[in-house]
Amino acid sequence: MKKLALAAAIAAAGTSAMAGSYAKDDVVMEPVVVVEETEQQSSSAAIIVPLILLALVAAAVASD
């Protein structure tokens, strides 16, 4: 009788592990499109880094 109960318990535990289904769901979600707006950068922002580098080179040359 114990073997029968043990077999029933193992069979019940094995079937609960397969609770999920591989069937295709009817719910279809459309992808969400996210659009981020970027701010306009001024033209002077691109010249700041080269000016700083030029100032550093000028300071290095002047210190010699």
Side-chain angles (χ1 to χ4, degrees):
M1 189 59 131
K2 289 183 181 180
K3 289 183 181 180
L4 182 62
L6 182 62
I10 291 174
T15 57
S16 65
M18 296 295 292
S21 173
Y22 291 108
K24 183 179 177 183
D25 294 337
D26 291 336
V27 179
V28 177
M29 295 182 65
E30 295 181 11
V32 177
V33 178
V34 177
V35 177
E36 294 184 18
E37 294 184 17
T38 58
E39 294 181 17
Q40 292 287 340
Q41 293 184 351
S42 66
S43 62
S44 64
I47 201 166
I48 291 176
V49 174
L51 286 178
I52 291 173
L53 291 175
L54 184 64
L56 289 174
V57 169
V61 169
S63 66
D64 284 339

